[in-house]
């Protein structure tokens, strides 16, 4: 029988007119070693949402529950329809004023947030860990990245919109003319952030908008709103006040989002999340500008020259770490390893051993490498996908066990090309290892996917690195490492069904704005 492949480049899901907002605002958590637990009755702070820069406690709240132990982390205020309308109207009304705000005002507010995040790293890391289930070592790292995002944004705010001058007298008809090109906002941004990086991906929406003088309404994920709401607290305490309406942070439930997506006063949508929802959004508003970061199934390629024991140990350790960090809930986590046949047999046992060495358990423990997934439902989905692959003939080398919301770090080989695990983003701590006969076959295996976010290539060969850069249909190629590296100032985004547009502070600012040319006439140049 011919091989069945997942990648159909001319096909894309055809969502109906309704947007498939599927992630629930609340979920039933579990604790390792116990059955499902309903949240305990506890006293917890109610966190205000931010309406046009001011804190508001809504009439309704929803509980934020730890996926690790079922405890109540906090409650988030929920805006009414009237309050959402007030936020949209304020953002729309302040567009011109905010765009004209002096650069030093915007930069000072961003600098303040960066500084305060750094000062409160441990506290904020524990908040991320509590609401998300992320181990503390990774939660602290997320805070550090958000510190950098706001610092980069402050720097870009000071550089932004200086303009580019161009002589037009290179043609006879342009004598005495000079073109000055500057960037201006496309309009209010609706930023929609996911649960897996509840602080830093909110930062990647709101910091570039403030830097460019673009009003933004930010919707954090319902499962993890508290880290995003904390950004509002830090912005509000900055001495350099931004115009009222420049930013709002609204924990709106997913079922209320279609109306916001359709609102003509919000012409720019920046979404990070699932492919299904992202394309449904874009298809529902064809005249809006959409930036979509939709994930992938990241591949790490190990070429024949990466062959010493030291090389293979490094590759195995990096692969094991970054197939399981964040519980595998990262769009650039390692999901596939494609190893040259000449190194496959020596690499595979190293990968299995390194995966088995990952410490699983309480995310609040500094020794923990892998915590729970965001919910028990998420872990059950991963469990079902692995079971499907094994039933279809894949070999399970380690892992494959679920305990509540936790799923054991897992390695498989011989995964058939047509099972869900091969075709979709697993978003869990699961790794599939396969053999390739040479560089060309390895690169073809990477490309045999509907996704194309990032890929890693372990090689010392500079020519092979450039061949990979040319051949791999992805938004980023990382040489000598896994695909999971992201610098927050670089352009970040995907090809194929991994999305459209780019994040990274400067690149998001470009995405939120457009070029406007002014031609000066009658000059002596």
């Amino acid at each position: 029988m011919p091989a069945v492949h997942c990648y159909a480049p001319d096909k894309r899901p055809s969502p109906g007119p309704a947007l498939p907002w599927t992630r629930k605002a609340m979920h039933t958590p579990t604790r390792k070693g116990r059955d499902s637990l309903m949240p305990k009755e506890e006293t917890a702070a109610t966190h205000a949402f931010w309406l046009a820069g001011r804190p508001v406690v809504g009439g309704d709240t929803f509980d934020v529950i730890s996926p690790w132990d079922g405890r109540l982390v906090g409650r988030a205020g929920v805006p009414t329809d009237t309050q959402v309308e007030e936020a949209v109207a304020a953002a729309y009304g302040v567009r011109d004023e905010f765009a004209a705000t002096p650069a030093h005002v915007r930069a000072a507010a961003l600098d303040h947030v960066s500084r305060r995040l750094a000062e409160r790293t441990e506290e904020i890391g524990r908040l991320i860990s509590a609401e998300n289930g992320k181990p503390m070592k990774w939660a602290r790292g997320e805070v550090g990245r958000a510190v950098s995002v706001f610092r980069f944004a402050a720097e870009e705010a000071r550089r932004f919109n200086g303009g580019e001058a161009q002589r037009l007298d290179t043609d006879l008809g342009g004598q005495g003319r000079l073109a000055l090109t500057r960037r201006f906002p496309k309009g209010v941004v609706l930023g929609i952030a996911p649960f897996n990086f509840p602080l830093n991906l909110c930062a990647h929406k709101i910091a570039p908008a403030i830097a460019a003088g673009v009003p933004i309404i930010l919707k954090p994920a319902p499962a993890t709103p508290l880290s995003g709401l904390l950004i509002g607290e830090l912005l509000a305490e900055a001495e350099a006040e931004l115009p009222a309406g420049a930013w709002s942070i609204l924990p709106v439930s997913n079922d209320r989002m279609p109306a916001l997506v359709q609102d003509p006063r919000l012409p720019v949508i920046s979404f990070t999340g699932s492919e299904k929802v992202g394309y449904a959004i874009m298809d529902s508003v064809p005249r809006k500008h959409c930036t979509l970061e939709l994930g992938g199934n990241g591949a790490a390629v190990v070429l024949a020259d990466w062959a010493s024991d030291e090389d293979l140990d490094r590759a195995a350790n990096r692969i094991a770490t970054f197939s399981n960090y964040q519980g595998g809930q990262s769009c650039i986590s390692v999901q596939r390893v494609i190893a040259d046949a000449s190194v496959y047999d020596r690499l595979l046992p190293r990968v299995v051993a390194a995966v088995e060495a990952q410490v699983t358990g309480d995310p609040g423990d500094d020794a923990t490498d892998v915590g729970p997934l965001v919910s028990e439902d998420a872990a059950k989905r991963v469990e079902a996908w692995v079971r499907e692959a094994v039933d279809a003939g894949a070999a399970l080398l380690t892992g494959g066990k679920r305990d509540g919301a936790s799923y054991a770090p897992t390695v498989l080989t011989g995964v058939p090309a047509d099972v869900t695990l091969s075709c979709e983003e697993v978003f869990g701590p699961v790794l599939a290892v396969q053999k390739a006969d040479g560089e060309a076959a390895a690169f073809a295996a990477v490309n045999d996917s509907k996704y194309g976010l990032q890929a890693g290539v372990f090689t010392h060969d500079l020519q092979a690195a450039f061949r990979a850069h040319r051949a791999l249909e992805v938004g980023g190629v990382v040489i000598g490492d896994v695909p999971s590296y992201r610098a927050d100032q670089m352009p970040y985004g995907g090809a194929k069904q991994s999305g459209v547009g780019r994040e990274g502070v400067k690149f998001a600012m470009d995405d939120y704005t457009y070029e406007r040319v002014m031609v000066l006439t009658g000059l002596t140049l």
Side-chain angles (χ1 to χ4, degrees):
M1 270 182 84
V4 179
H5 298 286
C6 303
Y7 177 39
D10 58 340
K11 294 182 180 179
R12 207 182 70 196
S14 300
L19 300 184
W21 297 97
T22 55
R23 189 171 299 136
K24 297 178 181 178
M26 291 181 285
H27 53 270
T28 303
T30 60
R31 185 185 346 242
K32 190 173 178 66
R34 298 194 181 187
D35 293 332
S36 295
L37 298 172
M38 291 305 293
K40 299 175 182 178
E41 288 298 324
E42 301 178 46
T43 300
T46 297
H47 297 251
F49 60 86
W50 295 89
L51 197 168
R54 70 180 192 275
V56 178
V57 177
D60 291 333
T61 63
F62 65 83
D63 293 347
V64 180
I65 305 300
S66 165
W68 168 249
D69 59 11
R71 67 188 169 90
L72 182 64
V73 178
R75 292 187 171 93
V78 179
T80 65
D81 288 344
T82 300
Q83 290 167 329
V84 171
E85 167 58 28
E86 183 180 347
V88 173
Y92 187 77
V94 82
R95 291 167 300 150
D96 292 343
E97 180 185 352
F98 192 29
T101 302
H104 71 87
V105 174
R106 288 178 274 117
L110 294 162
D111 273 330
H112 174 85
V113 176
S114 178
R115 183 172 60 253
R116 292 290 285 143
L117 287 170
E119 291 169 354
R120 296 173 61 179
T121 293
E122 188 68 15
E123 169 200 349
I124 299 170
R126 295 210 171 273
L127 176 63
I128 293 169
S129 181
E131 69 172 345
N132 172 274
K134 183 173 300 193
M136 277 301 297
K137 64 173 61 178
W138 298 113
R140 291 188 190 98
E142 181 174 347
V143 179
R145 289 181 60 189
V147 169
S148 295
V149 168
F150 279 96
R151 186 182 73 250
F152 295 145
E155 294 166 356
E156 292 296 342
R158 294 182 174 97
R159 286 190 286 263
F160 179 68
N161 224 7
E164 179 181 345
Q166 181 182 13
R167 292 180 68 131
L168 301 180
D169 61 355
T170 51
D171 254 355
L172 178 62
Q175 188 166 331
R177 296 180 186 268
L178 183 78
L180 179 66
T181 304
R182 299 168 65 203
R183 301 194 71 88
F184 293 87
K186 292 174 179 173
V188 182
V189 174
L190 174 60
I192 307 171
F195 70 81
N196 57 325
F197 288 85
L199 180 73
N200 196 45
L201 291 183
C202 285
H204 269 288
K205 307 297 182 191
I206 201 166
I210 291 172
V214 180
I216 182 168
I217 292 174
L218 174 67
K219 175 202 177 297
T224 57
L226 304 184
S227 301
L229 293 174
L230 186 136
I231 292 174
E233 176 186 330
L234 302 184
L235 276 170
E237 70 183 25
E239 291 184 10
E241 285 192 16
L242 302 175
W247 58 274
S248 293
I249 304 176
L250 307 178
V252 178
S253 62
N254 288 339
D255 59 1
R256 297 169 62 195
M257 284 305 295
L260 270 174
V261 167
Q262 295 288 338
D263 195 308
R265 295 167 295 178
L266 308 175
V268 180
I269 297 174
S270 177
F271 172 85
T272 302
S274 75
E275 171 199 357
K276 181 179 180 181
V277 175
Y279 281 127
I281 288 173
M282 188 168 72
D283 290 345
S284 75
V285 285
R287 291 177 177 81
K288 290 195 177 191
H289 177 88
C290 294
T291 298
L292 307 177
E293 197 279 281
L294 305 179
N297 55 1
V301 176
V302 184
L303 293 181
D305 68 291
W306 198 271
S308 71
D309 288 341
E310 182 180 359
D311 283 344
L312 295 176
D313 286 342
R314 169 175 162 74
N317 287 324
R318 296 294 286 176
I319 287 165
T321 296
F322 288 97
S323 65
N324 294 291
Y325 86 128
Q326 330 285 341
Q329 296 171 121
S330 167
C331 45
I332 47 176
S333 65
V334 186
Q335 184 171 332
R336 299 181 290 156
V337 176
I338 301 162
D340 188 88
S342 65
V343 298
Y344 177 88
D345 290 336
R346 294 169 57 217
L347 176 67
L348 181 59
R350 286 174 160 91
V351 169
V352 173
V355 167
E356 291 178 338
Q358 293 285 300
V359 177
T360 62
D362 183 350
D365 187 335
D366 283 350
T368 298
D369 298 311
V370 187
L373 276 68
V374 72
S375 69
E376 186 171 359
D377 284 347
K380 286 180 176 178
R381 177 189 54 77
V382 173
E383 180 182 41
W385 288 13
V386 171
R387 186 187 305 118
E388 178 199 19
V390 172
D391 289 347
L396 177 65
L397 304 187
T398 191
K401 296 179 180 179
R402 181 181 65 83
D403 185 356
S406 296
Y407 195 81
T410 297
V411 180
L412 303 103
T413 58
V415 178
D418 60 342
V419 300
T420 308
L421 195 62
S422 291
C423 299
E424 302 295 337
E425 179 180 37
V426 66
F427 230 58
V430 178
L431 184 64
V433 186
Q434 67 186 87
K435 186 185 300 185
D437 291 322
E439 177 188 297
F443 292 169
V446 174
N447 289 339
D448 185 25
S449 171
K450 65 181 179 179
Y451 296 111
L453 188 50
Q454 292 198 163
V457 180
F458 288 92
T459 183
H460 298 292
D461 184 341
L462 186 61
Q463 294 295 337
F466 275 89
R467 288 193 295 269
H469 197 199
R470 177 176 292 277
L472 296 180
E473 298 166 351
V474 295
V477 179
V478 184
I479 302 299
D481 207 350
V482 292
S484 315
Y485 175 78
R486 177 184 181 183
D488 292 287
Q489 71 272 38
M490 77 180 191
Y492 177 75
K496 298 190 283 192
Q497 291 187 30
S498 284
V500 294
R502 291 295 179 267
E503 290 193 338
V505 176
K506 177 183 180 297
F507 304 93
M509 292 169 70
D510 287 347
D511 226 31
Y512 294 168
T513 58
Y514 70 97
E515 295 172 317
R516 186 186 298 168
V517 179
M518 177 174 66
V519 177
L520 301 173
T521 305
L523 302 179
T524 302
L525 299 175

